[in-house]
Amino acid sequence: MKHLIDPMDLSKQETDEIISLAQDIIAHRERYQGSMSHRKLATLFYEPSTRTRLSFTAAMMELGGNVLGFSDAKSSSVSKGETVQDTVRVVGCFADVIAMRHYIEGAQLYATEVSRVPIINAGDGSHSHPTQTLTDLLTIQRELGHIDGITIGFCGDLRFGRTVHSLIKALSRYKDIKVILIAPQELKLPDYIKRDVCERTGIPYREVETMEEVMPELDVLYMTRVQKERFLDEDEFDRVKDSFVLDAARMALAKEKMAVLHPLPRVNEILTEVDDDPRAAYFRQVENGKFVREALIVKLHEWKDDPEHGMPSHDYPVYDDTLRCTNSKCICNNERAPHKFRRGDDGVLRCWYCDSKVK
Ligand code: CP
C-alpha cells in the first residue's frame, strides 16, 4: 500500500505524475468531479492548521467525496489516552484514506505500521511536510514554467522548518538546482540535511546572512516564519523572531521573473506591501495546495493495490537495546514505539522515525 510520509516515498516519476495530474485538474475541473464519490477522507489534526486541513477537505469535496475527523485531538478519545496506532486502526474502519498532522515526529510513520488505509503525513513536528512540498513544486512549475535549473533561496527558520527540509529533499531529484540558505546562526539548516541531502546528491549550497546579497540571483525566494511553538527557550525566540523581513525595497533587488513562496501563515516576515507585487506567489500557492491534494488523493486511490506503487524499500531496522533516540519530540519517546534505527550510507545510525542522529 502507498502511504506518503516523506517526500522520498514518492519516486520522481510518481511526483511528476501528481504534479501533472494537478495541472490537468486545474485545466479540466469538471472531469474529476465525482471521481471520489462514496469515498471518505479522515483528517486527524493533533496540531493547529488552516491551509492543510481545509485544502484537504476542499479537495475531497471537489472530487465528490466526504470528509470526517477532528481538528482538535482534545475533542477525541486521544484525550483519554488513546494511542496513535489505536486511533488509526479505528479510523481505518470508517475512512478510505487518512491525512494526519501531529506535533510528535514520526507519529505518522508509526501509524503506517498498523493502518489498513493509506496515511498521508500532513506535517509531523519539525520533521517533514510532504504535501506542502507537492504544493511548492506545483507552484514553482506554474510560476516559472520549470523546476530544473532554479536557484532557490530559503530564508528564515531553516532549523525547525519542516517545509524547508522536505522541499530540499524533493529538489535533490531535479537537475541543476542551486540552494542558498539565509538564516541566523540559531536557525541554520540541520547538518543532516546539508550532509545527507545536499552533499550526497551534489546540490551546491551556500549559507549567507543577508537577503540583499543574494536577491538578484534568485528564481525562487522561499520565506518561512520563525515558529514560536518549536522553541523551548522564549529568550532565544525573541532574539531571532524578526531576523529577516521581506519588503518592497528588497523586492526591488530581485529579478523581474522570480517567485516568492511561503507555506504560510506569515507573521512579520513579509510586509503586506509585497502582496500586490506580481512575483508574490504565496496566495496562489495556497490554491495550488488544494489542486495538488486532489491529485494526490486520486493517485493514492489508483495505486492502493498496485504492487508497482508500494513504499520504497528502506534498509532493515537496526535494534540495539543499548541505544536510545534522544529526541524528546520523537514518537518513540512519547508512545510505545520501539527504539529502532537505520544506518545511512555514511555509517551513521539515525532514529527510524525522526531521523535524529544517535549519539
Ligand atoms: N502551510 C501550512 O502547513 O499551513 P497550515 O499550518 O495552516 O496548515
mmCIF file of all heavy atoms in Angstrom, residues 49-90:
data_model
loop_
_atom_site.group_PDB
_atom_site.id
_atom_site.type_symbol
_atom_site.label_atom_id
_atom_site.label_comp_id
_atom_site.label_asym_id
_atom_site.label_seq_id
_atom_site.Cartn_x
_atom_site.Cartn_y
_atom_site.Cartn_z
ATOM 1 N N SER A 49 -4.043 23.988 12.217
ATOM 2 C CA SER A 49 -3.813 24.136 10.769
ATOM 3 C C SER A 49 -4.975 24.931 10.188
ATOM 4 O O SER A 49 -6.113 24.784 10.636
ATOM 5 C CB SER A 49 -3.781 22.753 10.122
ATOM 6 O OG SER A 49 -3.896 22.852 8.719
ATOM 7 N N THR A 50 -4.680 25.744 9.195
ATOM 8 C CA THR A 50 -5.751 26.328 8.382
ATOM 9 C C THR A 50 -5.675 25.736 6.975
ATOM 10 O O THR A 50 -6.583 25.054 6.513
ATOM 11 C CB THR A 50 -5.619 27.861 8.329
ATOM 12 O OG1 THR A 50 -5.765 28.371 9.650
ATOM 13 C CG2 THR A 50 -6.690 28.469 7.427
ATOM 14 N N ARG A 51 -4.564 25.988 6.274
ATOM 15 C CA ARG A 51 -4.439 25.605 4.864
ATOM 16 C C ARG A 51 -4.488 24.096 4.644
ATOM 17 O O ARG A 51 -5.205 23.619 3.770
ATOM 18 C CB ARG A 51 -3.099 26.094 4.279
ATOM 19 C CG ARG A 51 -3.099 27.495 3.777
ATOM 20 C CD ARG A 51 -1.763 28.115 4.053
ATOM 21 N NE ARG A 51 -1.591 28.192 5.492
ATOM 22 C CZ ARG A 51 -2.025 29.223 6.210
ATOM 23 N NH1 ARG A 51 -2.533 30.254 5.632
ATOM 24 N NH2 ARG A 51 -1.939 29.230 7.529
ATOM 25 N N THR A 52 -3.683 23.357 5.392
ATOM 26 C CA THR A 52 -3.540 21.935 5.066
ATOM 27 C C THR A 52 -4.860 21.207 5.301
ATOM 28 O O THR A 52 -5.346 20.485 4.426
ATOM 29 C CB THR A 52 -2.397 21.318 5.918
ATOM 30 O OG1 THR A 52 -1.254 22.158 5.781
ATOM 31 C CG2 THR A 52 -2.064 19.928 5.455
ATOM 32 N N ARG A 53 -5.463 21.436 6.461
ATOM 33 C CA ARG A 53 -6.712 20.707 6.757
ATOM 34 C C ARG A 53 -7.832 21.134 5.818
ATOM 35 O O ARG A 53 -8.529 20.305 5.241
ATOM 36 C CB ARG A 53 -7.118 20.922 8.225
ATOM 37 C CG ARG A 53 -8.272 20.018 8.644
ATOM 38 C CD ARG A 53 -8.578 20.164 10.119
ATOM 39 N NE ARG A 53 -9.056 21.479 10.478
ATOM 40 C CZ ARG A 53 -10.306 21.890 10.327
ATOM 41 N NH1 ARG A 53 -11.230 21.075 9.836
ATOM 42 N NH2 ARG A 53 -10.660 23.101 10.693
ATOM 43 N N LEU A 54 -7.973 22.464 5.645
ATOM 44 C CA LEU A 54 -9.092 22.915 4.810
ATOM 45 C C LEU A 54 -8.868 22.597 3.333
ATOM 46 O O LEU A 54 -9.826 22.347 2.600
ATOM 47 C CB LEU A 54 -9.337 24.412 5.017
ATOM 48 C CG LEU A 54 -9.791 24.784 6.441
ATOM 49 C CD1 LEU A 54 -10.055 26.279 6.545
ATOM 50 C CD2 LEU A 54 -11.041 24.014 6.846
ATOM 51 N N SER A 55 -7.610 22.598 2.891
ATOM 52 C CA SER A 55 -7.390 22.260 1.472
ATOM 53 C C SER A 55 -7.628 20.772 1.230
ATOM 54 O O SER A 55 -8.143 20.387 0.180
ATOM 55 C CB SER A 55 -6.007 22.691 0.995
ATOM 56 O OG SER A 55 -5.018 21.997 1.688
ATOM 57 N N PHE A 56 -7.282 19.933 2.207
ATOM 58 C CA PHE A 56 -7.634 18.509 2.074
ATOM 59 C C PHE A 56 -9.160 18.355 2.022
ATOM 60 O O PHE A 56 -9.693 17.585 1.219
ATOM 61 C CB PHE A 56 -7.080 17.690 3.249
ATOM 62 C CG PHE A 56 -5.748 17.048 2.962
ATOM 63 C CD1 PHE A 56 -4.616 17.396 3.674
ATOM 64 C CD2 PHE A 56 -5.629 16.074 1.981
ATOM 65 C CE1 PHE A 56 -3.386 16.807 3.408
ATOM 66 C CE2 PHE A 56 -4.402 15.473 1.703
ATOM 67 C CZ PHE A 56 -3.282 15.842 2.427
ATOM 68 N N THR A 57 -9.831 19.091 2.893
ATOM 69 C CA THR A 57 -11.297 18.999 2.940
ATOM 70 C C THR A 57 -11.886 19.461 1.610
ATOM 71 O O THR A 57 -12.724 18.777 1.005
ATOM 72 C CB THR A 57 -11.825 19.872 4.104
ATOM 73 O OG1 THR A 57 -11.209 19.418 5.308
ATOM 74 C CG2 THR A 57 -13.335 19.783 4.247
ATOM 75 N N ALA A 58 -11.429 20.641 1.137
ATOM 76 C CA ALA A 58 -11.955 21.178 -0.122
ATOM 77 C C ALA A 58 -11.625 20.244 -1.284
ATOM 78 O O ALA A 58 -12.463 20.028 -2.174
ATOM 79 C CB ALA A 58 -11.366 22.560 -0.369
ATOM 80 N N ALA A 59 -10.414 19.664 -1.252
ATOM 81 C CA ALA A 59 -10.013 18.756 -2.339
ATOM 82 C C ALA A 59 -10.975 17.564 -2.405
ATOM 83 O O ALA A 59 -11.470 17.207 -3.474
ATOM 84 C CB ALA A 59 -8.580 18.278 -2.106
ATOM 85 N N MET A 60 -11.242 16.949 -1.243
ATOM 86 C CA MET A 60 -12.117 15.761 -1.255
ATOM 87 C C MET A 60 -13.534 16.147 -1.664
ATOM 88 O O MET A 60 -14.205 15.390 -2.384
ATOM 89 C CB MET A 60 -12.088 15.101 0.134
ATOM 90 C CG MET A 60 -12.633 13.700 0.168
ATOM 91 S SD MET A 60 -11.762 12.597 -0.994
ATOM 92 C CE MET A 60 -12.334 10.994 -0.472
ATOM 93 N N MET A 61 -13.974 17.327 -1.236
ATOM 94 C CA MET A 61 -15.322 17.770 -1.630
ATOM 95 C C MET A 61 -15.397 18.004 -3.140
ATOM 96 O O MET A 61 -16.372 17.646 -3.786
ATOM 97 C CB MET A 61 -15.704 19.039 -0.865
ATOM 98 C CG MET A 61 -15.985 18.746 0.608
ATOM 99 S SD MET A 61 -15.953 20.219 1.614
ATOM 100 C CE MET A 61 -17.605 20.799 1.410
ATOM 101 N N GLU A 62 -14.347 18.605 -3.711
ATOM 102 C CA GLU A 62 -14.336 18.845 -5.169
ATOM 103 C C GLU A 62 -14.405 17.527 -5.945
ATOM 104 O O GLU A 62 -14.931 17.471 -7.044
ATOM 105 C CB GLU A 62 -13.069 19.578 -5.587
ATOM 106 C CG GLU A 62 -12.992 20.992 -5.079
ATOM 107 C CD GLU A 62 -13.202 22.034 -6.167
ATOM 108 O OE1 GLU A 62 -13.028 21.710 -7.350
ATOM 109 O OE2 GLU A 62 -13.530 23.173 -5.809
ATOM 110 N N LEU A 63 -13.822 16.477 -5.331
ATOM 111 C CA LEU A 63 -13.817 15.171 -6.011
ATOM 112 C C LEU A 63 -15.096 14.381 -5.741
ATOM 113 O O LEU A 63 -15.233 13.235 -6.162
ATOM 114 C CB LEU A 63 -12.608 14.353 -5.532
ATOM 115 C CG LEU A 63 -11.223 14.935 -5.854
ATOM 116 C CD1 LEU A 63 -10.121 14.181 -5.106
ATOM 117 C CD2 LEU A 63 -10.941 14.901 -7.354
ATOM 118 N N GLY A 64 -16.011 14.992 -4.977
ATOM 119 C CA GLY A 64 -17.298 14.350 -4.705
ATOM 120 C C GLY A 64 -17.279 13.413 -3.521
ATOM 121 O O GLY A 64 -18.256 12.681 -3.286
ATOM 122 N N GLY A 65 -16.191 13.396 -2.747
ATOM 123 C CA GLY A 65 -16.112 12.518 -1.580
ATOM 124 C C GLY A 65 -16.555 13.223 -0.310
ATOM 125 O O GLY A 65 -16.955 14.385 -0.332
ATOM 126 N N ASN A 66 -16.457 12.509 0.790
ATOM 127 C CA ASN A 66 -16.854 13.062 2.094
ATOM 128 C C ASN A 66 -15.652 13.099 3.033
ATOM 129 O O ASN A 66 -14.668 12.386 2.824
ATOM 130 C CB ASN A 66 -17.960 12.207 2.707
ATOM 131 C CG ASN A 66 -19.240 12.323 1.912
ATOM 132 O OD1 ASN A 66 -19.781 13.415 1.741
ATOM 133 N ND2 ASN A 66 -19.699 11.208 1.371
ATOM 134 N N VAL A 67 -15.802 13.929 4.073
ATOM 135 C CA VAL A 67 -14.685 14.138 4.998
ATOM 136 C C VAL A 67 -15.190 13.988 6.428
ATOM 137 O O VAL A 67 -16.281 14.466 6.763
ATOM 138 C CB VAL A 67 -14.086 15.557 4.810
ATOM 139 C CG1 VAL A 67 -12.872 15.752 5.724
ATOM 140 C CG2 VAL A 67 -13.669 15.784 3.357
ATOM 141 N N LEU A 68 -14.412 13.292 7.271
ATOM 142 C CA LEU A 68 -14.699 13.215 8.695
ATOM 143 C C LEU A 68 -13.394 13.418 9.447
ATOM 144 O O LEU A 68 -12.334 13.479 8.813
ATOM 145 C CB LEU A 68 -15.330 11.860 9.051
ATOM 146 C CG LEU A 68 -14.505 10.606 8.824
ATOM 147 C CD1 LEU A 68 -15.071 9.475 9.669
ATOM 148 C CD2 LEU A 68 -14.511 10.175 7.377
ATOM 149 N N GLY A 69 -13.464 13.557 10.770
ATOM 150 C CA GLY A 69 -12.219 13.692 11.511
ATOM 151 C C GLY A 69 -12.306 14.697 12.627
ATOM 152 O O GLY A 69 -13.398 15.078 13.049
ATOM 153 N N PHE A 70 -11.131 15.116 13.112
ATOM 154 C CA PHE A 70 -11.102 16.126 14.162
ATOM 155 C C PHE A 70 -10.013 17.137 13.874
ATOM 156 O O PHE A 70 -8.996 16.824 13.244
ATOM 157 C CB PHE A 70 -10.938 15.505 15.564
ATOM 158 C CG PHE A 70 -9.766 14.565 15.733
ATOM 159 C CD1 PHE A 70 -8.462 15.046 15.828
ATOM 160 C CD2 PHE A 70 -9.956 13.194 15.825
ATOM 161 C CE1 PHE A 70 -7.380 14.193 16.006
ATOM 162 C CE2 PHE A 70 -8.875 12.309 16.001
ATOM 163 C CZ PHE A 70 -7.584 12.829 16.092
ATOM 164 N N SER A 71 -10.274 18.381 14.331
ATOM 165 C CA SER A 71 -9.276 19.435 14.159
ATOM 166 C C SER A 71 -8.628 19.742 15.501
ATOM 167 O O SER A 71 -7.737 20.575 15.581
ATOM 168 C CB SER A 71 -9.929 20.688 13.598
ATOM 169 O OG SER A 71 -10.969 21.090 14.461
ATOM 170 N N ASP A 72 -9.097 19.077 16.532
ATOM 171 C CA ASP A 72 -8.553 19.285 17.863
ATOM 172 C C ASP A 72 -8.617 17.932 18.580
ATOM 173 O O ASP A 72 -9.705 17.453 18.919
ATOM 174 C CB ASP A 72 -9.398 20.330 18.600
ATOM 175 C CG ASP A 72 -8.913 20.548 20.022
ATOM 176 O OD1 ASP A 72 -7.933 19.893 20.425
ATOM 177 O OD2 ASP A 72 -9.522 21.366 20.727
ATOM 178 N N ALA A 73 -7.455 17.333 18.763
ATOM 179 C CA ALA A 73 -7.430 15.974 19.307
ATOM 180 C C ALA A 73 -8.066 15.899 20.696
ATOM 181 O O ALA A 73 -8.522 14.838 21.119
ATOM 182 C CB ALA A 73 -5.992 15.468 19.354
ATOM 183 N N LYS A 74 -8.143 17.061 21.387
ATOM 184 C CA LYS A 74 -8.736 17.042 22.749
ATOM 185 C C LYS A 74 -10.221 16.673 22.701
ATOM 186 O O LYS A 74 -10.795 16.230 23.684
ATOM 187 C CB LYS A 74 -8.579 18.413 23.416
ATOM 188 C CG LYS A 74 -7.151 18.720 23.838
ATOM 189 C CD LYS A 74 -7.158 19.836 24.863
ATOM 190 C CE LYS A 74 -6.246 20.977 24.599
ATOM 191 N NZ LYS A 74 -6.194 21.685 23.381
ATOM 192 N N SER A 75 -10.839 16.885 21.538
ATOM 193 C CA SER A 75 -12.258 16.541 21.417
ATOM 194 C C SER A 75 -12.439 15.065 21.046
ATOM 195 O O SER A 75 -13.564 14.607 20.856
ATOM 196 C CB SER A 75 -12.925 17.420 20.349
ATOM 197 O OG SER A 75 -12.403 17.068 19.075
ATOM 198 N N SER A 76 -11.346 14.318 20.925
ATOM 199 C CA SER A 76 -11.442 12.903 20.555
ATOM 200 C C SER A 76 -10.994 12.047 21.745
ATOM 201 O O SER A 76 -10.580 12.577 22.789
ATOM 202 C CB SER A 76 -10.520 12.623 19.369
ATOM 203 O OG SER A 76 -9.179 12.601 19.822
ATOM 204 N N SER A 77 -10.992 10.748 21.549
ATOM 205 C CA SER A 77 -10.567 9.857 22.644
ATOM 206 C C SER A 77 -9.060 9.879 22.876
ATOM 207 O O SER A 77 -8.566 9.203 23.786
ATOM 208 C CB SER A 77 -11.059 8.432 22.393
ATOM 209 O OG SER A 77 -12.448 8.406 22.620
ATOM 210 N N VAL A 78 -8.347 10.664 22.082
ATOM 211 C CA VAL A 78 -6.926 10.900 22.377
ATOM 212 C C VAL A 78 -6.802 11.493 23.780
ATOM 213 O O VAL A 78 -5.872 11.170 24.529
ATOM 214 C CB VAL A 78 -6.324 11.867 21.323
ATOM 215 C CG1 VAL A 78 -4.919 12.282 21.712
ATOM 216 C CG2 VAL A 78 -6.337 11.220 19.940
ATOM 217 N N SER A 79 -7.773 12.325 24.155
ATOM 218 C CA SER A 79 -7.728 12.955 25.484
ATOM 219 C C SER A 79 -7.879 11.922 26.608
ATOM 220 O O SER A 79 -7.558 12.199 27.749
ATOM 221 C CB SER A 79 -8.807 14.031 25.609
ATOM 222 O OG SER A 79 -10.063 13.419 25.462
ATOM 223 N N LYS A 80 -8.362 10.719 26.258
ATOM 224 C CA LYS A 80 -8.461 9.655 27.282
ATOM 225 C C LYS A 80 -7.237 8.751 27.244
ATOM 226 O O LYS A 80 -7.194 7.721 27.902
ATOM 227 C CB LYS A 80 -9.716 8.807 27.019
ATOM 228 C CG LYS A 80 -11.003 9.589 27.018
ATOM 229 C CD LYS A 80 -12.158 8.686 26.590
ATOM 230 C CE LYS A 80 -13.302 9.501 26.038
ATOM 231 N NZ LYS A 80 -14.214 8.675 25.215
ATOM 232 N N GLY A 81 -6.295 9.092 26.373
ATOM 233 C CA GLY A 81 -5.054 8.315 26.322
ATOM 234 C C GLY A 81 -4.965 7.359 25.150
ATOM 235 O O GLY A 81 -4.076 6.507 25.116
ATOM 236 N N GLU A 82 -5.894 7.458 24.182
ATOM 237 C CA GLU A 82 -5.823 6.537 23.043
ATOM 238 C C GLU A 82 -4.566 6.819 22.219
ATOM 239 O O GLU A 82 -4.235 7.979 21.944
ATOM 240 C CB GLU A 82 -7.076 6.653 22.167
ATOM 241 C CG GLU A 82 -7.146 5.548 21.123
ATOM 242 C CD GLU A 82 -8.564 5.260 20.646
ATOM 243 O OE1 GLU A 82 -9.321 6.209 20.394
ATOM 244 O OE2 GLU A 82 -8.912 4.060 20.542
ATOM 245 N N THR A 83 -3.890 5.770 21.831
ATOM 246 C CA THR A 83 -2.608 5.930 21.120
ATOM 247 C C THR A 83 -2.848 6.259 19.646
ATOM 248 O O THR A 83 -3.950 6.066 19.116
ATOM 249 C CB THR A 83 -1.786 4.635 21.193
ATOM 250 O OG1 THR A 83 -2.529 3.616 20.509
ATOM 251 C CG2 THR A 83 -1.487 4.221 22.610
ATOM 252 N N VAL A 84 -1.774 6.713 19.004
ATOM 253 C CA VAL A 84 -1.835 6.995 17.568
ATOM 254 C C VAL A 84 -2.208 5.728 16.808
ATOM 255 O O VAL A 84 -3.055 5.745 15.910
ATOM 256 C CB VAL A 84 -0.477 7.534 17.084
ATOM 257 C CG1 VAL A 84 -0.366 7.497 15.576
ATOM 258 C CG2 VAL A 84 -0.251 8.948 17.587
ATOM 259 N N GLN A 85 -1.573 4.613 17.166
ATOM 260 C CA GLN A 85 -1.843 3.385 16.416
ATOM 261 C C GLN A 85 -3.288 2.920 16.606
ATOM 262 O O GLN A 85 -3.947 2.535 15.635
ATOM 263 C CB GLN A 85 -0.862 2.277 16.823
ATOM 264 C CG GLN A 85 0.535 2.492 16.241
ATOM 265 C CD GLN A 85 1.376 1.229 16.212
ATOM 266 O OE1 GLN A 85 1.141 0.305 16.992
ATOM 267 N NE2 GLN A 85 2.378 1.198 15.347
ATOM 268 N N ASP A 86 -3.794 2.982 17.838
ATOM 269 C CA ASP A 86 -5.190 2.568 18.036
ATOM 270 C C ASP A 86 -6.135 3.515 17.305
ATOM 271 O O ASP A 86 -7.132 3.093 16.725
ATOM 272 C CB ASP A 86 -5.545 2.530 19.533
ATOM 273 C CG ASP A 86 -4.993 1.277 20.218
ATOM 274 O OD1 ASP A 86 -4.375 0.452 19.509
ATOM 275 O OD2 ASP A 86 -5.165 1.136 21.447
ATOM 276 N N THR A 87 -5.797 4.813 17.309
ATOM 277 C CA THR A 87 -6.672 5.784 16.638
ATOM 278 C C THR A 87 -6.757 5.468 15.146
ATOM 279 O O THR A 87 -7.858 5.453 14.576
ATOM 280 C CB THR A 87 -6.158 7.225 16.882
ATOM 281 O OG1 THR A 87 -6.101 7.444 18.294
ATOM 282 C CG2 THR A 87 -7.061 8.263 16.246
ATOM 283 N N VAL A 88 -5.645 5.185 14.486
ATOM 284 C CA VAL A 88 -5.721 4.921 13.044
ATOM 285 C C VAL A 88 -6.370 3.567 12.752
ATOM 286 O O VAL A 88 -7.043 3.418 11.731
ATOM 287 C CB VAL A 88 -4.373 5.034 12.300
ATOM 288 C CG1 VAL A 88 -3.771 6.385 12.439
ATOM 289 C CG2 VAL A 88 -3.403 3.973 12.677
ATOM 290 N N ARG A 89 -6.189 2.611 13.645
ATOM 291 C CA ARG A 89 -6.895 1.337 13.439
ATOM 292 C C ARG A 89 -8.405 1.579 13.435
ATOM 293 O O ARG A 89 -9.135 1.020 12.627
ATOM 294 C CB ARG A 89 -6.596 0.359 14.579
ATOM 295 C CG ARG A 89 -5.313 -0.421 14.446
ATOM 296 C CD ARG A 89 -5.256 -1.380 15.638
ATOM 297 N NE ARG A 89 -3.908 -1.724 16.003
ATOM 298 C CZ ARG A 89 -3.296 -2.834 15.623
ATOM 299 N NH1 ARG A 89 -3.909 -3.703 14.868
ATOM 300 N NH2 ARG A 89 -2.074 -3.083 16.008
ATOM 301 N N VAL A 90 -8.848 2.427 14.368
ATOM 302 C CA VAL A 90 -10.288 2.703 14.481
ATOM 303 C C VAL A 90 -10.766 3.522 13.285
ATOM 304 O O VAL A 90 -11.756 3.181 12.629
ATOM 305 C CB VAL A 90 -10.558 3.453 15.819
ATOM 306 C CG1 VAL A 90 -11.972 4.000 15.865
ATOM 307 C CG2 VAL A 90 -10.279 2.535 16.997
#
